[in-house]
Structure formats: C-alpha cells, structure tokens
Amino acid sequence: QVQLVESGGGLVQAGGSLRLSCAASGSIFSVYAMGWYRQAPGKQRELVATITSGGSTNYADSVEGRFSISRDNAKNTVYLQMNSLKPEDTAVYYCNADLQQTYYTGRHEYWGQGTQVTVSS
C-alpha cells in the first residue's frame, strides 16, 4: 500500500504565504514525477506545479513566480511554497506522485486526500 499524506493547508490573508508538504509512504521502489494540483468549487482539477526526480519543474501560468515546488528524494516528500497568495488561489490542493512499488511492477499514479487552502481578501 502507498499513502500520500499532505499537510500545511489553512486560512491566510491575501499577500500571505503557506507551505504545503506531501510525504509518500509504504511499499515504494522508486518515485518519478511528483506534483500539486488544485480544485476550486465548481471547477475542474488543474495542474499547479510538477517536479521530476531530477529536479526539473513546471508551473501553471497563474502561479509562475509566486509558487515554488521542491522535493526531498530521500524522504519521498514534495513541497509547495506559496507566496503572494490571492483569493483566486483558494482551493483544495492535491498531491500527486508517479511511482513504482517494486522492481517488478509498473508505474502508477497516486493521489493524496487533499488539503484546503483558503485565501481571504
């Protein structure tokens, strides 16, 4: 079994900062790309940022320059530093990981349970 456990969400005023963390645990052979997605009420889930095992990053245009994704491969953990937060960043943020459980199994995507981020104006 694999679990992705997120933490760090909460309520913050516009212009403030939050840092999200997501740790993958369980039977894990190798973790490839990790990322963050978000879903606001009434909207589809959208990509926020991704990072490869080698550290290459990709950001949604809406967060470029304000958010920063990083990871600790030794801990199978991905972080999302969110600065200059805006009310439109309010959403449930989900962690995603592309990983392989054993040498003999294929790669699969896993999702965390989500953490609420609310930005007040």
Side-chain angles (χ1 to χ4, degrees):
Q1 278 291 66
V2 172
Q3 275 192 315
L4 299 184
V5 179
E6 299 130 333
S7 61
L11 173 64
V12 64
Q13 287 188 330
S17 298
L18 282 175
R19 187 186 192 222
L20 305 183
S21 300
C22 172
S25 63
S27 176
I28 298 172
F29 171 71
S30 187
V31 182
Y32 301 98
M34 301 184 80
W36 291 93
Y37 293 71
R38 67 187 182 187
Q39 187 167 19
K43 295 188 176 182
Q44 289 189 329
R45 189 173 298 188
E46 63 176 6
L47 179 146
V48 175
T50 61
I51 184 168
T52 67
S53 56
S56 296
T57 59
N58 179 53
Y59 295 93
D61 290 343
S62 59
V63 306
E64 183 83 56
R66 300 187 297 122
F67 291 11
S68 178
I69 189 170
S70 61
R71 65 189 283 173
D72 184 334
N73 290 332
K75 296 180 180 180
N76 290 332
T77 299
V78 63
Y79 306 96
L80 185 69
Q81 178 66 43
M82 305 185 293
N83 299 327
S84 302
L85 281 160
K86 304 175 181 180
E88 50 263 44
D89 294 317
T90 295
V92 177
Y93 283 69
Y94 295 92
C95 173
N96 172 275
D98 174 16
L99 62 85
Q100 190 173 352
Q101 281 195 265
T102 73
Y103 177 80
Y104 303 100
T105 57
R107 291 163 61 166
H108 297 280
E109 274 194 277
Y110 294 84
W111 292 90
Q113 79 286 357
T115 185
Q116 177 70 46
V117 171
T118 303
V119 185
S120 63
S121 57

